[in-house]
Each structure stands twice: as C-alpha cells, then as structure tokens.
Amino acid sequence: MKSYSKEKQDLFAHYLIGSTGTFLDLGSCNPKKNNNSFGLEKIGWNGLCVDRKELQSSYKKNRRSPFLCLNIDDDNFIDEVDNHFLENKHINYISMDVNGNSFKCLTKLINAGYSFDCMTFEHDSYRQEPPDRLKAPAKKLLESSGYTILFEDVTTGNTHIRGYQPWEDWWIDSKSFDKKLLEIKSRKCSFKECISKLENYRFLYKKK
C-alpha cells in the first residue's frame, strides 16, 4: 500500500488490520496530501472524514468517503457521526488530530459507546504547556477503558537534528490482536522506527 500520511499513520492501520476495514478520520485536513485515510480508502477501506467547511468541495471531488463539516463542540456532533456508523460503533482505525480538542473529542466518542482496534492520538506534548495537558487525561481514560499504547510518544523525525519532539501515541485494543504484537511495545521511537518494528508483525488482527 502506498502511504499518503505525513508520518505513516495509514501504514500503522494497514499493517495491523489488513486490506479492508473502517476508519474515522477526525481532523482529516487535505483530502489526499498528508492524509491518514486516503491510502486506506484506495485499497478498499470505508469510513468518514471530518474537518472544516472550506474543504467540503475538495473532498467531494477527490474522495469516495463521506465528509462532514463538524465542530466537536456542536450539539449534534455525536448524532452526525452516529448517522454514518448506524450498524456498528466499533471502528477499526481512528485518526484523532483535532489539535487542542483531542481529549474532549475522545471523551465524547467513548461516552457514546464507540470503540476501536487501533488509533493514532495526536497530543503534541512537545509544544503543549504543560506538556501532558492532552496526553495525561487521554491516557488515563483509554487505559481505564482497556486500551494499550503500542507506541508511546512517537517522535516527529530525526531526533539528532530536531531534538526529541513527542507528538502522538499509537494505541491498540490488545484483545483484537495476537498477543505477540506486544513484543514490540515501545516508547520514544520515530514514526519510521515504529513502522519498521511492525514490518515483521503485520496482519495479526483477530477478525471479529
């Protein structure tokens, strides 16, 4: 699969789940460039993209998946997401990239009964004040809900040049995968290192 994500998040989902699945792309931004779900859609995944209104026409031209213009503070946020996932609130991959509102959005989804097999959660700890403002409450909520961080504090690139810049946690529901996947559980790896670790642990998903 060709990756279209800026930091290979789509490969993370693909290597874990396979060639078919469902996604919820929150803060999806450009419909193709640096997009976490476009590559998945191209190989057969189905899902929903959510971002700002000015991107709507571009999504209509370039994507097969439905696009919603929603603010997570909107009273109808969950209702609109529900309208897409009518039959099943379990999603294979969630891309959570809504800047400072990531924890609020996560809380709404969990409280509404949504679950996932894998998720990339952007917390941008390297530029937050305090650094764990988004990460700490999200970690507490997800761990209490039974989820496991496979790659914690994924870094943005070459730490020798740019310094240590943790910006995402990559989560899994460990019950959805063969237990040997946890052999590569790690912290403070670049996204390239994370994907490299997954190369020999691909497609361990237990089909539900």
Side-chain angles (χ1 to χ4, degrees), residues 81-100:
V81 175
D82 283 349
N83 286 337
H84 182 80
F85 297 102
L86 287 173
E87 297 181 1
N88 190 357
K89 287 190 174 185
H90 182 79
I91 301 168
N92 294 124
Y93 168 55
I94 296 178
S95 172
M96 181 71 71
D97 183 4
V98 289
N99 299 321

Side-chain angles (χ1 to χ4, degrees), residues 35-121:
N35 185 281
N36 288 352
S37 61
F38 180 55
L40 298 170
E41 180 182 290
K42 284 177 69 69
I43 64 169
W45 285 49
N46 296 295
L48 176 67
C49 299
V50 179
D51 211 300
R52 57 192 185 276
K53 185 176 182 179
E54 54 264 34
L55 292 167
Q56 196 160 18
S57 61
S58 184
Y59 270 82
K60 188 175 182 179
K61 293 177 183 178
N62 292 287
R63 294 292 296 270
R64 170 172 55 82
S65 299
F67 174 85
L68 289 179
C69 171
L70 282 176
N71 187 305
I72 69 159
D73 289 321
D74 292 345
D75 291 338
N76 66 336
F77 174 78
I78 289 296
D79 290 337
E80 291 293 333
V81 175
D82 283 349
N83 286 337
H84 182 80
F85 297 102
L86 287 173
E87 297 181 1
N88 190 357
K89 287 190 174 185
H90 182 79
I91 301 168
N92 294 124
Y93 168 55
I94 296 178
S95 172
M96 181 71 71
D97 183 4
V98 289
N99 299 321
N101 287 318
S102 293
F103 175 65
K104 185 186 294 185
C105 187
L106 176 65
T107 301
K108 284 192 173 186
L109 290 172
I110 295 292
N111 288 343
Y114 282 90
S115 60
F116 62 86
D117 294 309
C118 62
M119 178 176 68
T120 53
F121 181 87

Side-chain angles (χ1 to χ4, degrees), residues 7 10-11 18 22 25 27 47-48 59 84 93 110 113 145 153 179 184 190 196 200:
E7 285 99 9
D10 51 3
L11 286 184
T22 57
D25 194 349
L48 176 67
Y59 270 82
H84 182 80
Y93 168 55
I110 295 292
S145 299
D153 287 336
K179 63 182 179 181
I184 59 172
S190 71
S196 179
N200 295 320

Side-chain angles (χ1 to χ4, degrees), residues 3-12 34-36 93 97 120 122 124 126 154-157 162 165 167-168 170 190-195:
S3 175
Y4 290 85
S5 296
K6 186 177 181 181
E7 285 99 9
K8 311 299 183 186
Q9 292 93 334
D10 51 3
L11 286 184
F12 171 69
N34 295 335
N35 185 281
N36 288 352
Y93 168 55
D97 183 4
T120 53
E122 182 172 307
D124 284 334
Y126 74 96
V154 178
T155 64
T156 55
R162 301 176 64 185
Q165 296 181 313
W167 99 107
E168 279 191 346
W170 292 3
S190 71
F191 67 89
K192 291 181 180 179
E193 291 171 326
C194 293
I195 296 303

